[in-house]
Amino acid sequence: MPRRIQRAVVTGGAGFLGSHLCTRLMERGVEVVCVDNLVTGSMDNIEELFGQAGFTFVHHDVSNFIHVSGRVDAVLHFASPASPRDYLELPIQTLKVGSLGTHNCLGLAMEKGARFILASTSEVYGDPVVHPQTEDYWGNVNPVGPRGVYDEAKRFAEAMTMAYHRAQGVDVGIVRIFNTYGPHMRPADGRVVSNLLVQALTGRPLTIYGDGTQTRSFCYVDDEVAGILALLDSDLVGPVNIGNPDEFTVSELAALVLETTGSASALVHEELPVDDPTQRRPDISLARAELGWEPKVALAEGLARTAEWFRARLDD
Ligand code: NAD
Ligand code: UDP
């Protein structure tokens, strides 16, 4: 039996993933309180939800105390800069939203007796030496490197979530999200899919960092959100990997982007960022067994849909 969720708080609801979550929840008839300080999000992402009964937007930094009146059945904590470009520009805010923000959201969930979902990340595995990554792998993170601000914030957030679960009995679920792409990404967020697609569509050279042999496993946003909602509906604590296990090198991704867009852009190699993980692929056995979830959209199809979305924005 799916749990009864009438009203949900989504932090980071004006961001890429959060806005899709708000939309899917509203489609289910759930009232949504979207809390966002718009540091990396955009009102455009939630424009169509305004004016719909049951949707509320609160402009607020969740690293400060959060008060929401009335019933709350679920708190989905998605607020955090997520693109490396963003969190490297906002290191302190990233650490604060992962630590203080998670604390505040857990406090809200505890007060309301709500289920709490933490948006964690494959970055908790750092530059993984276990491949593919299973949830019981503790990771290989450099705490003092530039990426440490994000990785350690999320690792702390997971620890905080488990402490509230164990010590206070809060109903929690932790999702480790692997590289997700699709409509509502910011064209200039610096992530590889948005960079390469926008470069291809505007005839500029595609930037490959390093030699392009590093791998990622890209999940289309509709699949990712379906997995997150399956976790919300379940009693699973996790952490659980939600991602697409099809693994590509960055060079393979670039070739697919050129093929999908029909672009004649050249390729240029640029410096590899510090501590850039060499490989990343989720083992999704747990999600398959416990949530009955697996991704459906292949990379070529997802890239075509995302390219169409970017093309419309660029034409504007
Ligand atoms: P995003 O930058 O598009 O969205 C994040 C949202 O959080 C933005 O709207 C931003 O304004 C808001 N925000 C940031 N700090 C805030 C604060 N202190 N108070 C209130 N709002 C704040 O990023 P995204 O890709 O949608 O990521 C959403 C969540 O999923 C993040 O927690 C991220 O760490 C996690 N995640 C995403 C991916 C991915 O591939 N997209 C992968 C792993 C984990
Ligand atoms: N990358 C790249 N070109 C770009 C942007 C990123 O080659 O224009 C590489 C980056 O170095 C990394 C991979 O693509 O190896 C994924 O980067 P992204 O920032 O999307 O996410 P990450 O998984 O590193 O958080």
Short mmCIF file of all heavy atoms in Angstrom, two decimals, residues 11-18 35-42 45 60-63 77-83 86 93 97 119-122 150 154 176-181 184 186 191, ligand 1:
data_model
loop_
_atom_site.label_atom_id
_atom_site.label_comp_id
_atom_site.label_asym_id
_atom_site.label_seq_id
_atom_site.Cartn_x
_atom_site.Cartn_y
_atom_site.Cartn_z
N THR A 11 12.54 21.03 -0.56
CA THR A 11 13.56 22.09 -0.53
C THR A 11 14.36 21.98 -1.83
O THR A 11 14.56 20.88 -2.36
CB THR A 11 14.48 21.99 0.70
OG1 THR A 11 15.43 20.93 0.50
CG2 THR A 11 13.70 21.76 1.99
N GLY A 12 14.77 23.13 -2.36
CA GLY A 12 15.43 23.12 -3.67
C GLY A 12 14.44 22.86 -4.79
O GLY A 12 14.81 22.42 -5.88
N GLY A 13 13.17 23.15 -4.52
CA GLY A 13 12.10 22.82 -5.47
C GLY A 13 12.12 23.64 -6.75
O GLY A 13 11.43 23.29 -7.72
N ALA A 14 12.90 24.74 -6.77
CA ALA A 14 12.99 25.52 -8.01
C ALA A 14 14.21 25.11 -8.85
O ALA A 14 14.49 25.72 -9.87
CB ALA A 14 13.06 27.02 -7.69
N GLY A 15 14.90 24.07 -8.39
CA GLY A 15 16.07 23.59 -9.13
C GLY A 15 15.68 22.57 -10.18
O GLY A 15 14.50 22.32 -10.44
N PHE A 16 16.69 21.97 -10.78
CA PHE A 16 16.49 20.99 -11.85
C PHE A 16 15.65 19.79 -11.35
O PHE A 16 14.51 19.59 -11.77
CB PHE A 16 17.87 20.58 -12.37
CG PHE A 16 17.92 19.33 -13.17
CD1 PHE A 16 17.05 19.10 -14.23
CD2 PHE A 16 18.89 18.36 -12.89
CE1 PHE A 16 17.11 17.92 -14.97
CE2 PHE A 16 18.97 17.20 -13.64
CZ PHE A 16 18.07 16.97 -14.67
N LEU A 17 16.18 19.04 -10.41
CA LEU A 17 15.45 17.85 -9.93
C LEU A 17 14.23 18.22 -9.11
O LEU A 17 13.15 17.63 -9.27
CB LEU A 17 16.37 16.97 -9.08
CG LEU A 17 17.43 16.17 -9.82
CD1 LEU A 17 18.29 15.40 -8.84
CD2 LEU A 17 16.75 15.21 -10.79
N GLY A 18 14.39 19.22 -8.24
CA GLY A 18 13.31 19.60 -7.34
C GLY A 18 12.05 20.03 -8.10
O GLY A 18 10.93 19.71 -7.68
N VAL A 35 10.41 25.21 -1.10
CA VAL A 35 11.24 26.16 -0.35
C VAL A 35 12.59 26.28 -1.06
O VAL A 35 13.29 25.28 -1.23
CB VAL A 35 11.47 25.68 1.10
CG1 VAL A 35 12.21 26.74 1.90
CG2 VAL A 35 10.15 25.32 1.78
N ASP A 36 12.92 27.48 -1.48
CA ASP A 36 14.14 27.66 -2.28
C ASP A 36 14.64 29.09 -2.12
O ASP A 36 13.83 30.02 -2.06
CB ASP A 36 13.82 27.35 -3.76
CG ASP A 36 15.05 26.99 -4.57
OD1 ASP A 36 15.96 27.83 -4.66
OD2 ASP A 36 15.08 25.88 -5.11
N ASN A 37 15.96 29.26 -2.09
CA ASN A 37 16.51 30.63 -2.04
C ASN A 37 17.00 31.09 -3.42
O ASN A 37 17.61 32.15 -3.53
CB ASN A 37 17.63 30.75 -0.99
CG ASN A 37 18.87 29.97 -1.37
OD1 ASN A 37 18.86 29.24 -2.35
ND2 ASN A 37 19.93 30.12 -0.60
N LEU A 38 16.79 30.26 -4.42
CA LEU A 38 17.08 30.59 -5.83
C LEU A 38 18.56 30.83 -6.10
O LEU A 38 18.91 31.45 -7.11
CB LEU A 38 16.25 31.80 -6.29
CG LEU A 38 14.73 31.60 -6.20
CD1 LEU A 38 13.99 32.88 -6.57
CD2 LEU A 38 14.28 30.44 -7.11
N VAL A 39 19.43 30.27 -5.27
CA VAL A 39 20.86 30.51 -5.48
C VAL A 39 21.33 29.86 -6.78
O VAL A 39 22.18 30.42 -7.49
CB VAL A 39 21.69 30.09 -4.23
CG1 VAL A 39 21.67 28.59 -4.01
CG2 VAL A 39 23.09 30.57 -4.30
N THR A 40 20.82 28.68 -7.11
CA THR A 40 21.12 28.06 -8.41
C THR A 40 19.84 27.67 -9.15
O THR A 40 19.92 27.14 -10.25
CB THR A 40 22.00 26.80 -8.24
OG1 THR A 40 21.31 25.87 -7.38
CG2 THR A 40 23.36 27.13 -7.65
N GLY A 41 18.70 27.91 -8.54
CA GLY A 41 17.43 27.53 -9.17
C GLY A 41 16.84 28.68 -9.95
O GLY A 41 17.42 29.76 -10.03
N SER A 42 15.66 28.44 -10.52
CA SER A 42 15.02 29.46 -11.34
C SER A 42 13.51 29.36 -11.22
O SER A 42 12.94 28.26 -11.24
CB SER A 42 15.44 29.26 -12.80
OG SER A 42 14.57 29.96 -13.63
N ASN A 45 11.50 27.31 -13.76
CA ASN A 45 11.29 25.86 -13.60
C ASN A 45 9.95 25.53 -12.96
O ASN A 45 9.45 24.42 -13.11
CB ASN A 45 12.41 25.26 -12.73
CG ASN A 45 13.73 25.17 -13.46
OD1 ASN A 45 13.76 25.16 -14.69
ND2 ASN A 45 14.82 25.09 -12.72
N HIS A 60 13.34 31.12 0.77
CA HIS A 60 13.98 30.97 2.08
C HIS A 60 15.27 30.15 1.94
O HIS A 60 15.32 29.21 1.15
CB HIS A 60 13.00 30.25 3.03
CG HIS A 60 13.53 30.04 4.41
ND1 HIS A 60 13.74 31.08 5.30
CD2 HIS A 60 13.91 28.91 5.06
CE1 HIS A 60 14.21 30.59 6.44
NE2 HIS A 60 14.33 29.28 6.30
N ASP A 61 16.24 30.51 2.74
CA ASP A 61 17.49 29.75 2.83
C ASP A 61 17.33 28.69 3.92
O ASP A 61 17.20 29.05 5.10
CB ASP A 61 18.64 30.72 3.16
CG ASP A 61 19.99 30.02 3.28
OD1 ASP A 61 20.02 28.78 3.47
OD2 ASP A 61 21.01 30.71 3.18
N VAL A 62 17.34 27.43 3.55
CA VAL A 62 17.04 26.37 4.53
C VAL A 62 18.20 26.12 5.51
O VAL A 62 18.06 25.32 6.42
CB VAL A 62 16.60 25.04 3.86
CG1 VAL A 62 15.33 25.24 3.06
CG2 VAL A 62 17.71 24.43 3.02
N SER A 63 19.32 26.82 5.32
CA SER A 63 20.38 26.75 6.34
C SER A 63 19.97 27.53 7.58
O SER A 63 20.62 27.45 8.62
CB SER A 63 21.71 27.28 5.78
OG SER A 63 22.11 26.47 4.70
N HIS A 77 14.50 16.77 0.92
CA HIS A 77 15.56 17.80 1.05
C HIS A 77 16.49 17.74 -0.17
O HIS A 77 17.44 16.95 -0.20
CB HIS A 77 16.31 17.57 2.36
CG HIS A 77 17.39 18.57 2.59
ND1 HIS A 77 17.30 19.89 2.20
CD2 HIS A 77 18.62 18.44 3.19
CE1 HIS A 77 18.41 20.52 2.53
NE2 HIS A 77 19.22 19.66 3.12
N PHE A 78 16.19 18.59 -1.13
CA PHE A 78 16.95 18.64 -2.39
C PHE A 78 17.75 19.93 -2.54
O PHE A 78 18.42 20.13 -3.56
CB PHE A 78 16.00 18.40 -3.59
CG PHE A 78 15.75 16.94 -3.78
CD1 PHE A 78 15.03 16.22 -2.84
CD2 PHE A 78 16.27 16.26 -4.88
CE1 PHE A 78 14.84 14.85 -2.97
CE2 PHE A 78 16.09 14.89 -5.02
CZ PHE A 78 15.37 14.18 -4.06
N ALA A 79 17.65 20.84 -1.57
CA ALA A 79 18.39 22.10 -1.67
C ALA A 79 19.88 21.84 -1.53
O ALA A 79 20.31 21.25 -0.54
CB ALA A 79 17.91 23.06 -0.59
N SER A 80 20.64 22.24 -2.50
CA SER A 80 22.11 22.26 -2.46
C SER A 80 22.60 22.59 -3.86
O SER A 80 22.06 22.06 -4.84
CB SER A 80 22.69 20.88 -2.08
OG SER A 80 24.10 20.91 -2.24
N PRO A 81 23.63 23.46 -3.95
CA PRO A 81 24.30 23.53 -5.25
C PRO A 81 24.75 22.11 -5.61
O PRO A 81 25.16 21.35 -4.73
CB PRO A 81 25.50 24.44 -4.97
CG PRO A 81 25.09 25.25 -3.76
CD PRO A 81 24.24 24.31 -2.94
N ALA A 82 24.67 21.75 -6.88
CA ALA A 82 24.95 20.36 -7.26
C ALA A 82 25.96 20.24 -8.39
O ALA A 82 26.66 19.23 -8.49
CB ALA A 82 23.63 19.68 -7.66
N SER A 83 26.02 21.23 -9.26
CA SER A 83 27.01 21.17 -10.33
C SER A 83 28.37 21.55 -9.75
O SER A 83 28.45 22.48 -8.93
CB SER A 83 26.61 22.18 -11.42
OG SER A 83 27.76 22.59 -12.14
N ASP A 86 29.00 25.17 -9.66
CA ASP A 86 28.25 25.89 -8.61
C ASP A 86 28.87 25.69 -7.23
O ASP A 86 29.06 26.64 -6.48
CB ASP A 86 26.79 25.44 -8.58
CG ASP A 86 26.01 25.87 -9.82
OD1 ASP A 86 26.45 26.83 -10.49
OD2 ASP A 86 24.97 25.25 -10.11
N GLN A 93 28.37 27.99 1.38
CA GLN A 93 26.92 27.76 1.30
C GLN A 93 26.63 26.26 1.11
O GLN A 93 25.66 25.73 1.65
CB GLN A 93 26.30 28.54 0.13
CG GLN A 93 26.29 30.05 0.31
CD GLN A 93 27.54 30.70 -0.28
OE1 GLN A 93 28.63 30.15 -0.26
NE2 GLN A 93 27.37 31.90 -0.81
N VAL A 97 24.36 24.18 3.68
CA VAL A 97 23.06 23.57 3.34
C VAL A 97 23.09 22.05 3.55
O VAL A 97 22.07 21.44 3.91
CB VAL A 97 22.60 23.97 1.92
CG1 VAL A 97 23.35 23.22 0.83
CG2 VAL A 97 21.10 23.77 1.76
N ALA A 119 18.42 13.93 -0.52
CA ALA A 119 19.09 13.81 -1.82
C ALA A 119 20.59 13.73 -1.57
O ALA A 119 21.25 14.75 -1.39
CB ALA A 119 18.76 15.03 -2.69
N SER A 120 21.10 12.51 -1.52
CA SER A 120 22.55 12.34 -1.44
C SER A 120 23.08 12.09 -2.86
O SER A 120 22.35 12.31 -3.84
CB SER A 120 22.90 11.21 -0.47
OG SER A 120 24.31 11.18 -0.30
N THR A 121 24.28 11.65 -2.96
CA THR A 121 24.94 11.67 -4.27
C THR A 121 25.97 10.56 -4.42
O THR A 121 26.55 10.10 -3.42
CB THR A 121 25.64 13.03 -4.46
OG1 THR A 121 26.49 12.97 -5.60
CG2 THR A 121 26.50 13.40 -3.26
N SER A 122 26.23 10.19 -5.65
CA SER A 122 27.32 9.27 -5.97
C SER A 122 28.67 9.85 -5.56
O SER A 122 29.65 9.12 -5.45
CB SER A 122 27.32 8.97 -7.47
OG SER A 122 27.35 10.18 -8.21
N TYR A 150 31.46 19.60 -1.21
CA TYR A 150 30.20 18.94 -1.59
C TYR A 150 30.17 17.52 -1.04
O TYR A 150 29.19 17.13 -0.39
CB TYR A 150 30.10 18.94 -3.12
CG TYR A 150 28.84 18.34 -3.69
CD1 TYR A 150 27.60 18.96 -3.52
CD2 TYR A 150 28.88 17.15 -4.43
CE1 TYR A 150 26.45 18.42 -4.07
CE2 TYR A 150 27.73 16.61 -4.99
CZ TYR A 150 26.52 17.24 -4.81
OH TYR A 150 25.38 16.71 -5.36
N LYS A 154 27.60 16.13 1.94
CA LYS A 154 26.61 15.05 1.72
C LYS A 154 26.87 13.86 2.64
O LYS A 154 25.93 13.21 3.11
CB LYS A 154 26.64 14.62 0.26
CG LYS A 154 26.11 15.69 -0.71
CD LYS A 154 24.60 15.91 -0.56
CE LYS A 154 24.08 16.89 -1.60
NZ LYS A 154 22.63 17.09 -1.52
N ARG A 176 21.06 7.98 -3.17
CA ARG A 176 22.33 8.40 -3.78
C ARG A 176 22.10 8.52 -5.28
O ARG A 176 21.95 7.52 -5.99
CB ARG A 176 23.43 7.40 -3.44
CG ARG A 176 23.82 7.44 -1.98
CD ARG A 176 25.00 6.55 -1.67
NE ARG A 176 25.36 6.67 -0.26
CZ ARG A 176 25.97 5.70 0.44
NH1 ARG A 176 26.29 4.55 -0.15
NH2 ARG A 176 26.27 5.88 1.71
N ILE A 177 22.04 9.77 -5.70
CA ILE A 177 21.70 10.10 -7.08
C ILE A 177 22.96 10.11 -7.93
O ILE A 177 23.96 10.73 -7.55
CB ILE A 177 21.01 11.48 -7.12
CG1 ILE A 177 19.74 11.47 -6.27
CG2 ILE A 177 20.75 11.93 -8.55
CD1 ILE A 177 19.16 12.86 -5.97
N PHE A 178 22.92 9.42 -9.07
CA PHE A 178 24.04 9.44 -10.03
C PHE A 178 23.69 10.42 -11.16
O PHE A 178 22.51 10.64 -11.45
CB PHE A 178 24.28 8.03 -10.59
CG PHE A 178 25.00 7.12 -9.61
CD1 PHE A 178 24.42 6.75 -8.41
CD2 PHE A 178 26.28 6.66 -9.89
CE1 PHE A 178 25.09 5.94 -7.51
CE2 PHE A 178 26.96 5.85 -8.99
CZ PHE A 178 26.38 5.48 -7.80
N ASN A 179 24.72 10.94 -11.82
CA ASN A 179 24.59 12.00 -12.84
C ASN A 179 23.27 11.94 -13.61
O ASN A 179 23.05 11.04 -14.41
CB ASN A 179 25.72 11.91 -13.85
CG ASN A 179 27.09 12.12 -13.23
OD1 ASN A 179 27.51 11.32 -12.38
ND2 ASN A 179 27.77 13.18 -13.61
N THR A 180 22.45 12.95 -13.35
CA THR A 180 21.13 13.01 -13.98
C THR A 180 21.07 14.21 -14.92
O THR A 180 21.71 15.23 -14.67
CB THR A 180 20.06 13.11 -12.87
OG1 THR A 180 20.20 11.97 -12.02
CG2 THR A 180 18.65 13.13 -13.44
N TYR A 181 20.31 14.07 -16.01
CA TYR A 181 20.25 15.13 -17.03
C TYR A 181 18.83 15.18 -17.57
O TYR A 181 18.05 14.22 -17.43
CB TYR A 181 21.25 14.85 -18.17
CG TYR A 181 20.86 13.63 -18.98
CD1 TYR A 181 20.18 13.76 -20.19
CD2 TYR A 181 21.11 12.35 -18.49
CE1 TYR A 181 19.77 12.65 -20.90
CE2 TYR A 181 20.70 11.24 -19.19
CZ TYR A 181 20.03 11.39 -20.40
OH TYR A 181 19.60 10.29 -21.09
N HIS A 184 15.12 21.40 -17.82
CA HIS A 184 15.25 22.23 -16.62
C HIS A 184 16.69 22.35 -16.14
O HIS A 184 16.94 23.01 -15.13
CB HIS A 184 14.38 21.77 -15.44
CG HIS A 184 12.90 21.94 -15.68
ND1 HIS A 184 11.96 21.82 -14.67
CD2 HIS A 184 12.20 22.23 -16.79
CE1 HIS A 184 10.74 22.01 -15.18
NE2 HIS A 184 10.87 22.26 -16.47
N ARG A 186 20.19 24.13 -16.22
CA ARG A 186 20.62 25.45 -16.68
C ARG A 186 21.64 25.27 -17.80
O ARG A 186 22.58 24.50 -17.65
CB ARG A 186 21.27 26.24 -15.54
CG ARG A 186 20.28 26.90 -14.65
CD ARG A 186 20.86 27.64 -13.46
NE ARG A 186 22.26 27.91 -13.42
CZ ARG A 186 23.11 27.32 -12.56
NH1 ARG A 186 22.67 26.40 -11.73
NH2 ARG A 186 24.37 27.64 -12.54
N ARG A 191 27.78 21.52 -16.17
CA ARG A 191 27.82 20.06 -16.16
C ARG A 191 28.06 19.54 -17.57
O ARG A 191 27.78 20.24 -18.56
CB ARG A 191 26.52 19.49 -15.57
CG ARG A 191 26.41 19.79 -14.10
CD ARG A 191 25.26 19.05 -13.44
NE ARG A 191 24.15 19.92 -13.13
CZ ARG A 191 23.29 19.71 -12.14
NH1 ARG A 191 23.43 18.68 -11.34
NH2 ARG A 191 22.28 20.52 -11.92
P1 NAD B 1 20.05 22.56 -8.78
O1 NAD B 1 21.19 23.47 -8.50
O2 NAD B 1 19.36 22.68 -10.08
O3 NAD B 1 18.95 22.66 -7.65
C1 NAD B 1 19.26 22.94 -6.31
C2 NAD B 1 18.21 23.89 -5.77
O4 NAD B 1 18.49 24.14 -4.38
C3 NAD B 1 18.25 25.27 -6.46
O5 NAD B 1 16.94 25.66 -6.82
C4 NAD B 1 18.84 26.20 -5.40
O6 NAD B 1 18.41 27.53 -5.56
C5 NAD B 1 18.36 25.54 -4.13
N1 NAD B 1 19.18 25.84 -2.96
C6 NAD B 1 20.51 25.73 -2.82
N2 NAD B 1 20.89 26.09 -1.58
C7 NAD B 1 19.76 26.44 -0.91
C8 NAD B 1 19.50 26.89 0.40
N3 NAD B 1 20.48 27.07 1.28
N4 NAD B 1 18.21 27.14 0.75
C9 NAD B 1 17.20 26.97 -0.15
N5 NAD B 1 17.40 26.54 -1.40
C10 NAD B 1 18.66 26.28 -1.79
O7 NAD B 1 20.63 21.07 -8.58
P2 NAD B 1 19.94 19.66 -8.89
O8 NAD B 1 20.74 18.99 -9.92
O9 NAD B 1 18.49 19.82 -9.08
O10 NAD B 1 20.22 18.91 -7.52
C11 NAD B 1 19.20 18.77 -6.54
C12 NAD B 1 19.69 17.89 -5.41
O11 NAD B 1 20.03 16.60 -5.92
C13 NAD B 1 20.93 18.44 -4.72
O12 NAD B 1 20.83 18.18 -3.34
C14 NAD B 1 22.05 17.62 -5.32
O13 NAD B 1 23.13 17.50 -4.44
C15 NAD B 1 21.38 16.28 -5.58
N6 NAD B 1 22.02 15.55 -6.67
C16 NAD B 1 21.81 15.90 -7.98
C17 NAD B 1 22.47 15.19 -8.97
C18 NAD B 1 22.27 15.49 -10.43
O14 NAD B 1 22.85 14.80 -11.27
N7 NAD B 1 21.46 16.45 -10.81
C19 NAD B 1 23.34 14.14 -8.64
C20 NAD B 1 23.54 13.85 -7.29
C21 NAD B 1 22.85 14.53 -6.31
#
